[in-house]
């Protein structure tokens, strides 16, 4: 077996274990989300060794998506770092075995502080699980390591459970890309979201005449790849046609011998070219749309470009 073949086998083995783990998730996960969502303090993730590395990632992901969180190394906690924790916090203890002394040693001190404890462990019968308020299982039957010793599948499972917590909390908080920019002002996407609409819009505005046939409308929309086209009568914009308008037209008309003006929406949302991308996103979120017409000034109607969600959420 070549190394590339073995690598594919490892992928398959880990994916299969993760699938099995996914089937075991139940109401305890819902309870964890509710507890974290309503937490008056922060989430304190604690771990040691490799689970500590995973725990640091979980805390970082939560903090960057609207859930206040920090990571505290379990070994350092009993040497003064418990001072970072308050009674309103939730402590998430991460240990695959549930038997690490460094993790077990923090349970009593954390209890005395009055914290709610969630365990993320691969052994639901472990001391950690028994002494926690809630248990999230990250149990896997076997590691990808041929000796069954090196943490491989178990660390992947830990990361995935953390990702599941993060995504569900993002959705529960209705965390938007505009919020993302506030937490990532130094990142590429954060900097982009604080940019101006005019720097990311396309000036190649899809457009057809009010008399254009359905075939011409589809051709223009396909050519410009924006899922829409503006509709003009001479130099005056009369409306917009989106993918949704096309679908409704096909359902409404028994024949396709129709003109653009029959299927267009006469009103459309627009934004000033000097507006921030966060402003554009806010409008798109509010009206559940993916494109905005761009004008020279807020009070003018002459369209100089189109800004699309794809122009904004582009990591390249």
């Amino acid at each position: 077996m070549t190394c590339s073949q073995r690598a594919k086998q490892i992928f398959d083995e880990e994916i299969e274990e993760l699938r099995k783990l996914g089937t075991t998730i139940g109401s305890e996960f819902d309870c964890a989300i509710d507890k974290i969502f309503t937490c008056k303090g922060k989430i304190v993730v604690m771990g040691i060794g490799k689970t500590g590395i995973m725990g640091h990632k979980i805390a970082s992901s939560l903090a960057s998506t609207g859930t206040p969180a920090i990571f505290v190394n379990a070994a350092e906690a009993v040497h003064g770092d418990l001072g970072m924790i308050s009674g309103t916090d939730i402590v998430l203890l991460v240990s695959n075995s549930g038997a690490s002394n460094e993790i077990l040693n923090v349970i009593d001190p954390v209890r005395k502080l009055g914290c709610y404890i969630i365990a993320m462990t691969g052994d639901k019968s472990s001391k950690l699980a028994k002494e926690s308020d809630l248990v999230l299982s990250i149990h896997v039957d076997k590691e990808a390591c041929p000796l069954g010793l090196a943490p491989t599948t178990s660390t992947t499972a830990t990361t995935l459970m953390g990702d599941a917590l993060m995504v569900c909390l993002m959705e529960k908080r209705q965390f938007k890309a505009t919020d993302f920019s506030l937490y990532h002002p130094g990142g590429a996407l954060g900097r982009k979201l604080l940019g101006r609409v005019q720097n990311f819009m396309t000036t190649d505005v899809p457009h057809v005449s009010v008399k254009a046939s359905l075939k011409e409308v589809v051709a223009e929309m396909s050519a410009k790849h924006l899922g829409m086209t503006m509709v003009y009568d001479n130099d005056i914009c009369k409306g917009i046609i989106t993918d949704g308008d096309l679908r409704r037209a096909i359902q409404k008309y028994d024949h396709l011998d129709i003109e653009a003006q029959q299927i267009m929406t006469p009103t459309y949302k627009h934004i000033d070219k000097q507006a921030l991308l966060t402003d554009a996103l806010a409008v798109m979120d509010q009206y559940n749309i993916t494109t905005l017409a761009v004008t020279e000034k807020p009070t003018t109607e002459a369209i100089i470009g189109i800004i699309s969600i794809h122009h904004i959420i582009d990591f390249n």
Side-chain angles (χ1 to χ4, degrees), residues 272-293:
D272 175 21
K273 70 175 185 178
Q274 291 293 335
L276 295 175
L277 288 185
T278 50
D279 296 329
L281 274 174
V283 175
M284 292 181 192
D285 285 339
Q286 180 180 357
Y287 295 100
N288 194 28
I289 55 179
T290 58
T291 56
L292 282 172

Side-chain angles (χ1 to χ4, degrees), residues 3-180:
C3 288
S4 60
Q5 290 172 328
R6 177 61 177 134
K8 292 176 183 177
Q9 188 180 61
I10 293 169
F11 269 71
D12 290 339
E13 289 175 1
E14 292 210 19
I15 289 170
E16 179 57 29
E17 287 296 314
L18 295 176
R19 283 200 184 99
K20 289 192 293 185
L21 174 60
T23 64
T24 68
I25 296 175
S27 59
E28 76 287 347
F29 188 88
D30 296 316
C31 184
I33 293 296
D34 290 339
K35 285 288 185 181
I36 295 173
F37 183 73
T38 57
C39 178
K40 300 300 183 181
K42 60 188 176 294
I43 310 306
V44 180
V45 186
M46 302 180 73
I48 192 73
K50 292 182 177 61
T51 55
I53 296 172
M54 300 303 105
H56 199 289
K57 190 271 181 188
I58 292 171
S60 178
S61 295
L62 290 173
S64 69
T65 53
T67 298
I70 63 170
F71 174 78
V72 175
N73 184 287
E76 298 296 330
V78 294
H79 293 284
D81 284 359
L82 282 171
M84 302 179 186
I85 307 173
S86 69
T88 57
D89 296 338
I90 290 176
V91 175
L92 175 61
L93 299 177
V94 185
S95 171
N96 184 47
S97 68
S100 300
N101 288 329
E102 294 88 349
I103 291 290
L104 298 179
N105 288 342
V106 303
I107 295 177
D108 285 343
V110 165
R111 279 275 179 234
K112 290 177 182 178
L113 289 171
C115 300
Y116 187 87
I117 299 177
I118 299 176
M120 188 180 291
T121 179
D123 187 353
K124 295 176 71 173
S125 64
S126 65
K127 184 176 181 180
L128 171 61
K130 291 176 180 177
E131 297 193 16
S132 298
D133 297 303
L134 184 68
V135 178
L136 295 176
S137 175
I138 50 172
H139 172 76
V140 294
D141 289 332
K142 60 181 180 178
E143 301 282 9
C145 165
L147 301 177
L149 299 175
T152 47
T153 311
S154 60
T155 51
T156 306
T158 304
T159 301
L160 184 54
M161 185 63 73
D163 287 346
L165 288 172
M166 177 196 69
V167 172
C168 289
L169 286 164
M170 285 181 68
E171 293 174 351
K172 196 172 181 68
R173 296 184 194 285
Q174 298 183 335
F175 194 86
K176 304 293 185 183
T178 48
D179 302 308
F180 191 93

